[in-house]
Amino acid sequence: MVPAENDRVTDRDGREDLHRGRIEEVRDPGPHAVYRIRNERTNELQIITREQIEGEPGAPDA
């Protein structure tokens, strides 16, 4: 399933820990999509690619 706006996801952004957040915007939908995500813990905005998303959107692990 392709992540969409308002989906909750878990991602890796190069730091050691996984991050959880909600997608605020999807740019260039498709295999090379870029997502703007609001981190749930720190409230910071993160820009990530589809390859950085771990698991399925909205899954219990996400």
Side-chain angles (χ1 to χ4, degrees):
M1 182 171 149
V2 177
E5 287 185 21
N6 295 315
D7 282 350
R8 295 181 69 201
V9 295
T10 302
D11 67 89
R12 289 195 184 278
D13 67 354
R15 293 180 270 187
E16 186 173 318
D17 297 332
L18 287 175
H19 302 277
R20 297 175 198 270
R22 184 171 304 277
I23 296 174
E24 289 192 350
E25 181 182 4
V26 180
R27 297 181 185 166
D28 302 322
H32 302 290
V34 175
Y35 301 92
R36 186 173 76 177
I37 296 178
R38 176 79 56 184
N39 186 301
E40 290 181 353
R41 188 172 51 86
T42 64
N43 206 36
E44 71 180 342
L45 279 175
Q46 299 172 286
I47 306 298
I48 65 166
T49 62
R50 187 168 178 186
E51 292 81 22
Q52 292 174 283
I53 294 176
E54 298 281 326
E56 293 294 320
D61 294 332

